[in-house]
Each structure stands twice: as C-alpha cells, then as structure tokens.
mmCIF file of all heavy atoms in Angstrom:
data_model
loop_
_atom_site.group_PDB
_atom_site.id
_atom_site.type_symbol
_atom_site.label_atom_id
_atom_site.label_comp_id
_atom_site.label_asym_id
_atom_site.label_seq_id
_atom_site.Cartn_x
_atom_site.Cartn_y
_atom_site.Cartn_z
ATOM 1 N N VAL F 29 3.282 8.234 3.417
ATOM 2 C CA VAL F 29 3.940 7.973 2.121
ATOM 3 C C VAL F 29 3.236 7.092 1.260
ATOM 4 O O VAL F 29 2.755 5.951 1.730
ATOM 5 C CB VAL F 29 5.383 7.571 2.274
ATOM 6 C CG1 VAL F 29 6.026 7.214 0.964
ATOM 7 C CG2 VAL F 29 6.267 8.465 3.187
ATOM 8 N N GLU F 30 2.952 7.491 0.017
ATOM 9 C CA GLU F 30 2.136 6.606 -0.900
ATOM 10 C C GLU F 30 3.120 5.906 -1.879
ATOM 11 O O GLU F 30 4.004 6.720 -2.448
ATOM 12 C CB GLU F 30 1.093 7.328 -1.630
ATOM 13 C CG GLU F 30 0.248 6.429 -2.451
ATOM 14 C CD GLU F 30 -0.735 7.313 -3.393
ATOM 15 O OE1 GLU F 30 -0.281 8.173 -4.090
ATOM 16 O OE2 GLU F 30 -1.911 6.997 -3.253
ATOM 17 N N GLU F 31 3.021 4.689 -2.046
ATOM 18 C CA GLU F 31 3.870 3.889 -3.085
ATOM 19 C C GLU F 31 2.947 3.333 -4.170
ATOM 20 O O GLU F 31 2.068 2.523 -3.621
ATOM 21 C CB GLU F 31 4.763 2.946 -2.395
ATOM 22 C CG GLU F 31 5.775 3.448 -1.399
ATOM 23 C CD GLU F 31 6.568 2.347 -0.787
ATOM 24 O OE1 GLU F 31 6.274 1.149 -1.070
ATOM 25 O OE2 GLU F 31 7.380 2.650 0.042
ATOM 26 N N VAL F 32 3.170 3.540 -5.333
ATOM 27 C CA VAL F 32 2.299 2.902 -6.394
ATOM 28 C C VAL F 32 3.154 1.666 -6.831
ATOM 29 O O VAL F 32 4.278 1.770 -7.273
ATOM 30 C CB VAL F 32 2.128 3.885 -7.526
ATOM 31 C CG1 VAL F 32 1.394 3.137 -8.656
ATOM 32 C CG2 VAL F 32 1.412 5.082 -7.207
ATOM 33 N N ARG F 33 2.472 0.476 -6.891
ATOM 34 C CA ARG F 33 3.031 -0.702 -7.198
ATOM 35 C C ARG F 33 2.080 -1.365 -8.248
ATOM 36 O O ARG F 33 1.127 -0.953 -8.545
ATOM 37 C CB ARG F 33 3.136 -1.650 -6.018
ATOM 38 C CG ARG F 33 4.008 -0.993 -4.914
ATOM 39 C CD ARG F 33 4.046 -2.061 -3.718
ATOM 40 N NE ARG F 33 5.132 -1.662 -2.792
ATOM 41 C CZ ARG F 33 5.629 -2.400 -1.801
ATOM 42 N NH1 ARG F 33 5.134 -3.592 -1.603
ATOM 43 N NH2 ARG F 33 6.605 -1.860 -1.074
ATOM 44 N N GLU F 34 2.736 -2.350 -8.926
ATOM 45 C CA GLU F 34 2.055 -3.078 -10.053
ATOM 46 C C GLU F 34 0.768 -3.642 -9.494
ATOM 47 O O GLU F 34 0.775 -4.645 -8.479
ATOM 48 C CB GLU F 34 2.807 -4.150 -10.652
ATOM 49 C CG GLU F 34 2.156 -4.923 -11.844
ATOM 50 C CD GLU F 34 3.083 -5.904 -12.486
ATOM 51 O OE1 GLU F 34 4.296 -5.859 -12.200
ATOM 52 O OE2 GLU F 34 2.587 -6.607 -13.167
ATOM 53 N N GLY F 35 -0.411 -3.302 -9.923
ATOM 54 C CA GLY F 35 -1.693 -3.867 -9.331
ATOM 55 C C GLY F 35 -2.093 -3.304 -7.989
ATOM 56 O O GLY F 35 -3.045 -3.928 -7.367
ATOM 57 N N GLY F 36 -1.391 -2.342 -7.400
ATOM 58 C CA GLY F 36 -1.818 -2.079 -6.054
ATOM 59 C C GLY F 36 -1.100 -0.695 -5.511
ATOM 60 O O GLY F 36 -0.423 -0.065 -6.245
ATOM 61 N N LEU F 37 -1.426 -0.434 -4.296
ATOM 62 C CA LEU F 37 -0.862 0.793 -3.621
ATOM 63 C C LEU F 37 -0.418 0.391 -2.164
ATOM 64 O O LEU F 37 -1.089 -0.593 -1.581
ATOM 65 C CB LEU F 37 -1.971 1.835 -3.479
ATOM 66 C CG LEU F 37 -2.413 2.488 -4.783
ATOM 67 C CD1 LEU F 37 -3.681 3.139 -4.605
ATOM 68 C CD2 LEU F 37 -1.353 3.386 -5.417
ATOM 69 N N ARG F 38 0.653 1.058 -1.832
ATOM 70 C CA ARG F 38 1.032 0.833 -0.361
ATOM 71 C C ARG F 38 1.178 2.138 0.325
ATOM 72 O O ARG F 38 1.834 3.151 -0.232
ATOM 73 C CB ARG F 38 2.315 0.033 -0.323
ATOM 74 C CG ARG F 38 2.822 -0.223 1.144
ATOM 75 C CD ARG F 38 4.095 -1.126 0.964
ATOM 76 N NE ARG F 38 4.504 -1.534 2.500
ATOM 77 C CZ ARG F 38 5.622 -1.560 2.806
ATOM 78 N NH1 ARG F 38 6.709 -1.046 2.052
ATOM 79 N NH2 ARG F 38 5.949 -1.880 4.030
ATOM 80 N N TYR F 39 0.687 2.394 1.621
ATOM 81 C CA TYR F 39 0.758 3.504 2.345
ATOM 82 C C TYR F 39 1.492 3.290 3.681
ATOM 83 O O TYR F 39 1.261 2.205 4.310
ATOM 84 C CB TYR F 39 -0.617 4.086 2.628
ATOM 85 C CG TYR F 39 -1.465 4.397 1.473
ATOM 86 C CD1 TYR F 39 -2.201 3.482 0.815
ATOM 87 C CD2 TYR F 39 -1.446 5.788 0.918
ATOM 88 C CE1 TYR F 39 -2.998 3.857 -0.314
ATOM 89 C CE2 TYR F 39 -2.138 6.063 -0.174
ATOM 90 C CZ TYR F 39 -2.850 5.124 -0.781
ATOM 91 O OH TYR F 39 -3.752 5.483 -1.840
ATOM 92 N N LEU F 40 2.445 4.130 3.951
ATOM 93 C CA LEU F 40 3.239 3.983 5.075
ATOM 94 C C LEU F 40 3.171 5.102 5.938
ATOM 95 O O LEU F 40 3.198 6.340 5.488
ATOM 96 C CB LEU F 40 4.765 3.699 4.873
ATOM 97 C CG LEU F 40 4.992 2.534 4.016
ATOM 98 C CD1 LEU F 40 6.392 2.370 3.522
ATOM 99 C CD2 LEU F 40 4.713 1.218 4.819
ATOM 100 N N TYR F 41 3.181 5.025 7.244
ATOM 101 C CA TYR F 41 3.118 6.228 8.322
ATOM 102 C C TYR F 41 4.069 5.979 9.448
ATOM 103 O O TYR F 41 4.162 4.874 9.932
ATOM 104 C CB TYR F 41 1.672 6.384 8.838
ATOM 105 C CG TYR F 41 1.617 7.479 9.767
ATOM 106 C CD1 TYR F 41 1.443 8.785 9.394
ATOM 107 C CD2 TYR F 41 1.502 7.209 11.169
ATOM 108 C CE1 TYR F 41 1.355 9.883 10.318
ATOM 109 C CE2 TYR F 41 1.550 8.260 12.176
ATOM 110 C CZ TYR F 41 1.337 9.486 11.585
ATOM 111 O OH TYR F 41 1.314 10.539 12.677
ATOM 112 N N ARG F 42 4.875 7.012 9.728
ATOM 113 C CA ARG F 42 5.731 6.728 10.881
ATOM 114 C C ARG F 42 5.798 8.137 11.654
ATOM 115 O O ARG F 42 5.756 9.170 10.958
ATOM 116 C CB ARG F 42 7.130 6.444 10.396
ATOM 117 C CG ARG F 42 8.135 6.302 11.545
ATOM 118 C CD ARG F 42 9.535 5.807 11.021
ATOM 119 N NE ARG F 42 9.457 4.495 10.457
ATOM 120 C CZ ARG F 42 9.506 3.321 10.986
ATOM 121 N NH1 ARG F 42 9.473 3.333 12.317
ATOM 122 N NH2 ARG F 42 9.457 2.209 10.420
ATOM 123 N N ARG F 43 5.848 8.032 12.910
ATOM 124 C CA ARG F 43 6.143 9.127 13.861
ATOM 125 C C ARG F 43 7.035 8.530 15.017
ATOM 126 O O ARG F 43 6.436 7.834 15.870
ATOM 127 C CB ARG F 43 4.845 9.776 14.333
ATOM 128 C CG ARG F 43 5.124 10.840 15.264
ATOM 129 C CD ARG F 43 3.849 11.471 15.975
ATOM 130 N NE ARG F 43 4.067 12.221 17.038
ATOM 131 C CZ ARG F 43 3.086 12.459 18.050
ATOM 132 N NH1 ARG F 43 1.810 12.088 17.849
ATOM 133 N NH2 ARG F 43 3.499 13.143 19.163
ATOM 134 N N GLY F 44 8.161 8.852 15.059
ATOM 135 C CA GLY F 44 8.990 8.368 16.157
ATOM 136 C C GLY F 44 8.962 6.763 16.136
ATOM 137 O O GLY F 44 9.218 6.159 14.973
ATOM 138 N N GLY F 45 8.704 6.146 17.322
ATOM 139 C CA GLY F 45 8.565 4.640 17.333
ATOM 140 C C GLY F 45 7.290 4.145 16.855
ATOM 141 O O GLY F 45 7.172 2.896 17.052
ATOM 142 N N PHE F 46 6.291 4.931 16.469
ATOM 143 C CA PHE F 46 4.890 4.437 16.076
ATOM 144 C C PHE F 46 4.940 4.447 14.545
ATOM 145 O O PHE F 46 5.163 5.428 13.832
ATOM 146 C CB PHE F 46 3.950 5.493 16.626
ATOM 147 C CG PHE F 46 2.558 5.037 16.252
ATOM 148 C CD1 PHE F 46 1.908 4.150 17.114
ATOM 149 C CD2 PHE F 46 1.921 5.421 15.108
ATOM 150 C CE1 PHE F 46 0.501 3.777 16.872
ATOM 151 C CE2 PHE F 46 0.548 5.083 14.769
ATOM 152 C CZ PHE F 46 -0.096 4.191 15.683
ATOM 153 N N SER F 47 4.637 3.239 14.012
ATOM 154 C CA SER F 47 4.481 3.099 12.532
ATOM 155 C C SER F 47 3.312 2.102 12.192
ATOM 156 O O SER F 47 3.074 1.227 12.971
ATOM 157 C CB SER F 47 5.752 2.588 11.912
ATOM 158 O OG SER F 47 6.077 1.272 12.314
ATOM 159 N N ARG F 48 2.654 2.458 11.047
ATOM 160 C CA ARG F 48 1.575 1.619 10.563
ATOM 161 C C ARG F 48 1.734 1.621 9.075
ATOM 162 O O ARG F 48 2.296 2.514 8.447
ATOM 163 C CB ARG F 48 0.210 2.120 10.956
ATOM 164 C CG ARG F 48 -0.120 2.061 12.449
ATOM 165 C CD ARG F 48 -0.298 0.705 13.015
ATOM 166 N NE ARG F 48 -0.673 0.652 14.358
ATOM 167 C CZ ARG F 48 -1.917 0.552 14.868
ATOM 168 N NH1 ARG F 48 -2.856 0.587 13.952
ATOM 169 N NH2 ARG F 48 -2.129 0.638 16.184
ATOM 170 N N GLY F 49 1.159 0.574 8.451
ATOM 171 C CA GLY F 49 1.110 0.547 7.073
ATOM 172 C C GLY F 49 -0.109 -0.232 6.441
ATOM 173 O O GLY F 49 -0.712 -1.018 7.046
ATOM 174 N N THR F 50 -0.442 0.110 5.214
ATOM 175 C CA THR F 50 -1.567 -0.425 4.503
ATOM 176 C C THR F 50 -1.152 -0.748 3.002
ATOM 177 O O THR F 50 -0.688 0.141 2.341
ATOM 178 C CB THR F 50 -2.789 0.584 4.478
ATOM 179 O OG1 THR F 50 -2.965 0.949 5.751
ATOM 180 C CG2 THR F 50 -4.023 -0.193 3.955
ATOM 181 N N GLU F 51 -1.572 -2.040 2.635
ATOM 182 C CA GLU F 51 -1.256 -2.353 1.110
ATOM 183 C C GLU F 51 -2.603 -2.716 0.498
ATOM 184 O O GLU F 51 -3.326 -3.622 1.127
ATOM 185 C CB GLU F 51 -0.191 -3.349 1.184
ATOM 186 C CG GLU F 51 0.061 -3.703 -0.422
ATOM 187 C CD GLU F 51 1.276 -4.748 -0.556
ATOM 188 O OE1 GLU F 51 1.558 -5.439 0.486
ATOM 189 O OE2 GLU F 51 1.745 -4.801 -1.635
ATOM 190 N N VAL F 52 -2.941 -2.204 -0.599
ATOM 191 C CA VAL F 52 -4.135 -2.473 -1.280
ATOM 192 C C VAL F 52 -3.882 -3.152 -2.647
ATOM 193 O O VAL F 52 -3.108 -2.469 -3.366
ATOM 194 C CB VAL F 52 -5.028 -1.312 -1.492
ATOM 195 C CG1 VAL F 52 -6.410 -1.645 -2.149
ATOM 196 C CG2 VAL F 52 -5.228 -0.551 -0.163
ATOM 197 N N ARG F 53 -4.273 -4.281 -2.948
ATOM 198 C CA ARG F 53 -3.974 -4.934 -4.275
ATOM 199 C C ARG F 53 -5.314 -5.445 -4.724
ATOM 200 O O ARG F 53 -6.226 -5.883 -4.086
ATOM 201 C CB ARG F 53 -3.112 -6.132 -3.995
ATOM 202 C CG ARG F 53 -1.667 -5.745 -3.432
ATOM 203 C CD ARG F 53 -0.760 -6.921 -3.592
ATOM 204 N NE ARG F 53 -0.471 -7.306 -4.881
ATOM 205 C CZ ARG F 53 0.411 -6.852 -5.823
ATOM 206 N NH1 ARG F 53 1.022 -5.750 -5.356
ATOM 207 N NH2 ARG F 53 0.444 -7.332 -6.880
ATOM 208 N N ALA F 54 -5.369 -5.338 -6.143
ATOM 209 C CA ALA F 54 -6.639 -5.659 -6.832
ATOM 210 C C ALA F 54 -6.379 -6.874 -7.894
ATOM 211 O O ALA F 54 -5.259 -6.932 -8.422
ATOM 212 C CB ALA F 54 -7.307 -4.539 -7.635
ATOM 213 N N PHE F 55 -7.377 -7.771 -8.117
ATOM 214 C CA PHE F 55 -7.217 -8.850 -9.024
ATOM 215 C C PHE F 55 -8.519 -8.992 -9.708
ATOM 216 O O PHE F 55 -9.629 -8.847 -9.152
ATOM 217 C CB PHE F 55 -6.882 -10.127 -8.229
ATOM 218 C CG PHE F 55 -5.854 -10.080 -7.223
ATOM 219 C CD1 PHE F 55 -6.131 -9.646 -5.951
ATOM 220 C CD2 PHE F 55 -4.432 -10.359 -7.585
ATOM 221 C CE1 PHE F 55 -5.111 -9.578 -4.911
ATOM 222 C CE2 PHE F 55 -3.496 -10.212 -6.643
ATOM 223 C CZ PHE F 55 -3.811 -9.899 -5.339
ATOM 224 N N ALA F 56 -8.504 -9.296 -10.981
ATOM 225 C CA ALA F 56 -9.701 -9.128 -11.828
ATOM 226 C C ALA F 56 -9.649 -10.297 -12.833
ATOM 227 O O ALA F 56 -8.678 -10.670 -13.396
ATOM 228 C CB ALA F 56 -9.962 -7.878 -12.632
ATOM 229 N N GLU F 57 -10.892 -10.860 -13.128
ATOM 230 C CA GLU F 57 -11.025 -11.860 -14.093
ATOM 231 C C GLU F 57 -11.179 -11.123 -15.540
ATOM 232 O O GLU F 57 -11.829 -10.250 -15.646
ATOM 233 C CB GLU F 57 -12.375 -12.585 -13.966
ATOM 234 C CG GLU F 57 -12.440 -13.455 -12.616
ATOM 235 C CD GLU F 57 -13.766 -14.131 -12.617
ATOM 236 O OE1 GLU F 57 -14.736 -13.759 -13.231
ATOM 237 O OE2 GLU F 57 -13.824 -15.165 -11.817
ATOM 238 N N GLY F 58 -10.167 -11.532 -16.248
ATOM 239 C CA GLY F 58 -10.212 -11.052 -17.734
ATOM 240 C C GLY F 58 -9.789 -9.604 -17.850
ATOM 241 O O GLY F 58 -10.080 -8.917 -18.900
ATOM 242 N N ALA F 59 -9.012 -9.050 -16.923
ATOM 243 C CA ALA F 59 -8.673 -7.699 -17.020
ATOM 244 C C ALA F 59 -7.375 -7.504 -16.224
ATOM 245 O O ALA F 59 -7.167 -8.368 -15.190
ATOM 246 C CB ALA F 59 -9.751 -6.714 -16.546
ATOM 247 N N GLU F 60 -6.600 -6.441 -16.402
ATOM 248 C CA GLU F 60 -5.531 -6.188 -15.595
ATOM 249 C C GLU F 60 -5.613 -5.003 -14.823
ATOM 250 O O GLU F 60 -5.726 -3.809 -15.347
ATOM 251 C CB GLU F 60 -4.251 -6.042 -16.486
ATOM 252 C CG GLU F 60 -2.970 -5.935 -15.867
ATOM 253 C CD GLU F 60 -2.578 -7.308 -15.142
ATOM 254 O OE1 GLU F 60 -2.855 -8.307 -15.683
ATOM 255 O OE2 GLU F 60 -1.895 -7.291 -14.073
ATOM 256 N N PRO F 61 -5.692 -4.992 -13.536
ATOM 257 C CA PRO F 61 -5.853 -3.798 -12.735
ATOM 258 C C PRO F 61 -4.643 -2.754 -12.843
ATOM 259 O O PRO F 61 -3.521 -3.224 -12.945
ATOM 260 C CB PRO F 61 -6.064 -4.273 -11.212
ATOM 261 C CG PRO F 61 -6.474 -5.623 -11.491
ATOM 262 C CD PRO F 61 -5.780 -6.085 -12.631
#
C-alpha cells in the first residue's frame, strides 16, 4: 500500500503476522518538495 503524504511517501506491506514499512521524506533549501 502506498500513501502520499506532505513532502513524502509511505509504503506498507503485510502478510499475516509479517509486516514491514518504509517512509521516504525530502527536505530542500529554498524549495518545497
């Protein structure tokens, strides 16, 4: 599952009792990601 968030993305995975997640966020000088 992909979730779009302000300035970033979050990915979630689940199968039964096994789950993992990843969150990617960006920050920039003088700009808004």
Side-chain angles (χ1 to χ4, degrees):
V29 176
E30 180 188 59
E31 298 177 355
V32 178
R33 299 184 170 190
E34 184 177 349
L37 296 162
R38 186 176 183 226
Y39 297 90
L40 299 172
Y41 177 79
R42 181 178 296 279
R43 176 188 164 197
F46 182 87
S47 67
R48 295 290 182 98
T50 308
E51 184 173 21
V52 184
R53 298 187 62 81
F55 312 87
E57 292 179 344
E60 190 68 33

